Amino acid sequence: MCSSELEEPLTYFLQSDLAAKGIEVRRRSDFDDVLTANILAQDANEIPDDMELTAYFAIGIEISDIISQIKAKLLELKNYGFKTDNVEFKVIQVCDKMWQNQWEKFYHRVDFSRSLAIVPEWECPKPLNPHQIVIKMNPKQAFGTGTHITTQLMLMVMERVLLSEMSVLDVGTGSGILSIVASKFGASNVCATDISDDAIASAKKNLALNDIDNVELKQANLLTGVKGKYDLILANMLAEILYQLIPHLSDHLARNGSVIMSGIDCEQLSRIEKLLSENGFTVNLKIQEKRWFCILVSQKSN
Amino acid sequence: MCSSELEEPLTYFLQSDLAAKGIEVRRRSDFDDVLTANILAQDANEIPDDMELTAYFAIGIEISDIISQIKAKLLELKNYGFKTDNVEFKVIQVCDKMWQNQWEKFYHRVDFSRSLAIVPEWECPKPLNPHQIVIKMNPKQAFGTGTHITTQLMLMVMERVLLSEMSVLDVGTGSGILSIVASKFGASNVCATDISDDAIASAKKNLALNDIDNVELKQANLLTGVKGKYDLILANMLAEILYQLIPHLSDHLARNGSVIMSGIDCEQLSRIEKLLSENGFTVNLKIQEKRWFCILVSQKSN
């Protein structure tokens, strides 16, 4: 159990640094509608006070070691201003089957907007209206399920920007969600990179699930080995990694191209803006939800 | 000729306070694409350095009086932090026919997003993709042509929020653009108010142009005389008018309803947020473009 503002940084840390095999997040607010619809009492008892974040690790891993690393990360986040006082830990050994059941019970369709829905593989992919595009996801293995704020803000800006047949570069693709949406939104071709084996495997599965054939997956650290220039670069990652990315953006951005960056904590926005300006970029649009910013960036025109 | 940040407040002032019969805005940036496409040299000479704002008044009006009122408004805006030093005035007498030609020459289609285009009545309403909804507008008579930043930010949030058959209240509808979009996005019914005769006439014309029959137009000052509660309230107007509106919102907002407010200059955001909080509201999402903020607001949950 922990405060919901910890969701993004902890999810990222658990997957990237501690190699968690899967992450499940349940927020009190996710159940508001369900609660009013008279769900079974035993399920109601399972609903968290604020947020419950479950990370799944392989059998045989040293769990006390994992917990002490999480505690050190929480201390670091506390210094950034996050509320970390009310975090409780619980360790349970589960079989594969139980994990799958838990997952399917609490991960549901996100009707992200009139024009886009993200639906788990095991639910009905019927659109809300004739204009809605439905993306199917099996998000178990990697970051980016469409339920995270940073991903949602990214999608909002993509809906506005992806008007024509653009070439798209998706840095740190995770589950592949942004590449799949870009392709469905009419991108001519997409290059998606991720450093993690699990992400590449998961993205591959999700691309197939959506019959996408114009996304090239590349196992790489950020832009290493990426060739060519793109009309749109997507970077949904924590600010610490955006710092490393920014100096290399112009090598891969086509003339009049745009960059959408998400995953920026409010405390880090001014440093990101300064770095962007030093590298010849200007911020055209900012969206904020809770502590998180997503920005639309282009090259300065002079 | 003036600095482009003056567009919104001046447009509003010219129409509401000085009863301009029509407004035309031409920005340098609107012509970037056209310029590269080899337009005729005589048209290129007509393109403004930054922004040109043309207001049309009825024949017989005392023009020196109008100019001194504009100058007083500019002084007020200067105190808000706007750049007003490089404003130039030019007065020309035009016939009706010429006005119409000027208008049609420079007001063009706005492909606002993948899912929405705003197209002048005299242009081809073909969608960019099978999912795009096209709204036809004859925007000559009233505020809100889809080219203003504050309207565009509003539309971005509407795309995200209008998922189901909501009832919508559009306060200060101007040309009717937001009511038309709400209806096309699936609103069950819309009530649109405006104090101005010209706005009501223009909205009526634009509703007919788009075959909309579930929008009720009401000539009223803000919420005066409005009955009932709505799932979504739209308020695209200058902050000074939002101040008056906020204390009355909860009388007309359904349980779990949302309000989208646009037209907030960055200097006025904190005052708006304070007033919202005092009236039991919380801000869930903020979008900023240049000096302009649009916010998504709901009632505090306790």
Side-chain angles (χ1 to χ4, degrees):
Chain A
M1 296 288 180
C2 64
S3 155
S4 59
E5 63 182 32
L6 293 171
E7 176 185 345
E8 300 281 341
L10 270 192
T11 301
Y12 191 86
F13 175 72
L14 288 161
Q15 293 197 309
S16 287
D17 295 48
L18 302 184
K21 293 291 176 193
I23 301 280
E24 178 194 324
V25 177
R26 298 161 58 204
R27 279 165 298 225
R28 179 97 198 154
S29 57
D30 295 340
F31 300 93
D32 286 352
D33 290 347
V34 187
L35 281 174
T36 52
N38 295 319
I39 59 162
L40 291 173
Q42 79 245 39
D43 284 347
N45 287 337
E46 288 177 17
I47 291 171
D49 284 339
D50 184 348
M51 188 188 77
E52 185 183 278
L53 195 156
T54 308
Y56 296 91
F57 294 93
I59 293 215
I61 206 159
E62 188 50 70
I63 205 71
S64 60
D65 188 39
I66 293 284
I67 289 183
S68 60
Q69 285 190 67
I70 296 172
K71 285 184 174 163
K73 184 68 186 179
L74 286 171
L75 200 62
E76 185 192 328
L77 290 169
K78 190 179 179 178
N79 294 335
Y80 275 128
F82 285 86
K83 267 184 263 167
T84 62
D85 299 335
N86 55 348
V87 178
E88 289 170 30
F89 289 91
K90 203 157 100 180
V91 178
I92 300 174
Q93 189 168 331
V94 296
C95 62
D96 264 6
K97 179 95 183 113
M98 189 171 152
W99 170 13
Q100 184 64 26
N101 287 345
Q102 285 297 326
W103 189 262
E104 296 193 3
K105 200 157 158 189
F106 293 107
Y107 178 59
H108 293 301
R109 174 186 184 117
V110 178
D111 276 301
F112 167 71
S113 76
R114 286 193 68 263
S115 17
L116 185 67
I118 318 286
V119 179
E121 192 184 354
W122 53 85
E123 282 190 14
C124 166
K126 191 169 175 281
L128 267 189
N129 64 61
H131 296 286
Q132 196 181 45
I133 291 175
V134 176
I135 308 289
K136 287 175 269 182
M137 291 296 286
N138 185 329
K140 195 168 54 185
Q141 298 287 340
F143 192 64
T145 59
T147 59
H148 294 90
I149 291 174
T150 68
T151 308
Q152 296 196 353
L153 299 183
M154 183 64 118
L155 294 172
M156 247 181 118
V157 183
M158 284 172 71
E159 283 196 347
R160 176 114 188 241
V161 171
L162 256 163
L163 293 174
S164 52
E165 287 197 353
M166 295 177 171
S167 58
V168 177
L169 176 59
D170 175 16
V171 191
T173 190
S175 66
I177 188 169
L178 299 180
S179 291
I180 293 166
V181 171
S183 173
K184 290 277 184 191
F185 277 4
S188 55
N189 61 298
V190 183
C191 172
T193 73
D194 207 294
I195 196 169
S196 127
D197 294 336
D198 279 347
I200 295 292
S202 167
K204 199 171 170 181
K205 207 178 285 180
N206 285 316
L207 287 170
L209 205 57
N210 291 281
D211 302 316
I212 304 282
D213 59 7
N214 66 341
V215 176
E216 177 202 358
L217 282 174
K218 202 178 174 73
Q219 188 159 6
N221 185 7
L222 300 177
L223 297 172
T224 311
V226 171
K227 290 190 174 60
K229 299 205 170 197
Y230 293 82
D231 299 317
L232 179 64
I233 299 179
L234 310 172
N236 182 19
M237 44 185 61
L238 291 188
E240 296 128 55
I241 305 170
L242 289 175
Y243 298 147
Q244 298 168 39
L245 184 70
I246 289 169
H248 304 286
L249 282 176
S250 58
D251 295 341
H252 296 284
L253 192 62
R255 190 164 168 269
N256 296 323
S258 301
V259 185
I260 314 177
M261 295 183 172
S262 199
I264 305 167
D265 181 84
C266 55
E267 306 256 345
Q268 294 157 319
L269 181 66
S270 62
R271 193 173 149 197
I272 290 280
E273 287 191 281
K274 185 167 172 283
L275 197 58
L276 282 168
S277 178
E278 287 164 4
N279 283 273
F281 291 97
T282 180
V283 175
N284 301 315
L285 192 76
K286 291 180 202 172
I287 310 192
Q288 183 184 10
E289 187 170 348
K290 295 187 182 152
R291 294 179 65 91
W292 299 98
F293 274 92
C294 174
I295 55 178
L296 174 65
V297 172
S298 65
Q299 266 154 333
K300 287 178 192 164
S301 49
N302 50 4
Chain B
M1 296 289 180
C2 63
S3 156
S4 58
E5 64 182 32
L6 292 172
E7 176 185 344
E8 300 281 342
L10 270 192
T11 301
Y12 191 85
F13 174 73
L14 288 161
Q15 293 197 310
S16 287
D17 295 48
L18 302 184
K21 292 291 177 195
I23 301 281
E24 178 194 324
V25 177
R26 297 160 60 203
R27 279 164 298 223
R28 179 98 199 152
S29 57
D30 295 339
F31 299 94
D32 286 352
D33 289 346
V34 187
L35 282 175
T36 53
N38 295 319
I39 60 161
L40 291 171
Q42 78 245 40
D43 284 348
N45 287 337
E46 288 178 15
I47 292 171
D49 283 339
D50 185 349
M51 189 187 78
E52 185 183 279
L53 196 157
T54 309
Y56 296 91
F57 295 93
I59 293 214
I61 206 159
E62 188 50 71
I63 205 70
S64 60
D65 188 39
I66 293 285
I67 289 183
S68 61
Q69 287 190 66
I70 296 173
K71 284 184 176 163
K73 184 70 186 179
L74 287 171
L75 200 62
E76 185 192 327
L77 290 169
K78 190 179 179 178
N79 294 335
Y80 275 129
F82 285 85
K83 268 183 263 166
T84 62
D85 299 335
N86 55 348
V87 177
E88 290 170 29
F89 289 90
K90 204 157 100 182
V91 179
I92 301 174
Q93 189 168 328
V94 295
C95 63
D96 266 6
K97 179 94 183 114
M98 191 172 151
W99 170 12
Q100 185 63 28
N101 287 346
Q102 285 296 328
W103 189 261
E104 296 194 4
K105 201 157 158 189
F106 294 107
Y107 177 60
H108 293 301
R109 173 186 185 117
V110 178
D111 276 300
F112 167 72
S113 74
R114 285 193 69 262
S115 17
L116 186 66
I118 319 286
V119 179
E121 191 183 356
W122 53 84
E123 283 191 15
C124 167
K126 192 169 176 281
L128 267 190
N129 64 61
H131 297 285
Q132 196 180 45
I133 292 175
V134 177
I135 308 289
K136 287 174 271 182
M137 292 295 287
N138 185 329
K140 195 168 53 184
Q141 299 287 339
F143 191 63
T145 58
T147 59
H148 295 89
I149 290 175
T150 68
T151 308
Q152 297 196 352
L153 298 183
M154 184 64 117
L155 294 172
M156 248 182 117
V157 183
M158 284 172 71
E159 283 197 345
R160 176 114 187 242
V161 171
L162 256 163
L163 294 174
S164 52
E165 287 196 352
M166 296 177 170
S167 58
V168 176
L169 176 57
D170 176 16
V171 191
T173 191
S175 65
I177 187 168
L178 298 180
S179 291
I180 293 166
V181 171
S183 173
K184 290 277 184 191
F185 277 4
S188 55
N189 61 298
V190 183
C191 173
T193 73
D194 207 294
I195 197 169
S196 128
D197 294 336
D198 280 346
I200 295 292
S202 166
K204 199 171 171 183
K205 206 178 286 180
N206 285 316
L207 287 170
L209 206 56
N210 291 280
D211 302 317
I212 304 281
D213 60 6
N214 67 342
V215 175
E216 179 203 356
L217 283 174
K218 203 177 174 74
Q219 188 160 6
N221 185 8
L222 300 177
L223 298 172
T224 311
V226 171
K227 290 193 174 60
K229 299 205 170 198
Y230 293 81
D231 299 316
L232 179 63
I233 300 179
L234 309 173
N236 182 20
M237 44 185 61
L238 290 187
E240 296 130 55
I241 304 169
L242 290 175
Y243 298 146
Q244 299 169 39
L245 184 70
I246 290 169
H248 305 287
L249 282 176
S250 58
D251 296 341
H252 295 285
L253 191 62
R255 190 166 168 269
N256 297 324
S258 302
V259 185
I260 314 178
M261 295 184 172
S262 199
I264 305 167
D265 181 83
C266 55
E267 306 255 345
Q268 293 157 319
L269 181 66
S270 62
R271 191 172 151 199
I272 290 280
E273 286 191 282
K274 186 166 172 285
L275 198 59
L276 282 168
S277 179
E278 287 164 5
N279 283 274
F281 291 97
T282 180
V283 176
N284 301 315
L285 192 77
K286 291 180 202 173
I287 310 192
Q288 182 184 11
E289 187 170 348
K290 295 189 182 152
R291 295 178 64 91
W292 299 98
F293 273 92
C294 174
I295 56 178
L296 174 64
V297 172
S298 66
Q299 266 153 334
K300 287 178 191 165
S301 48
N302 51 4

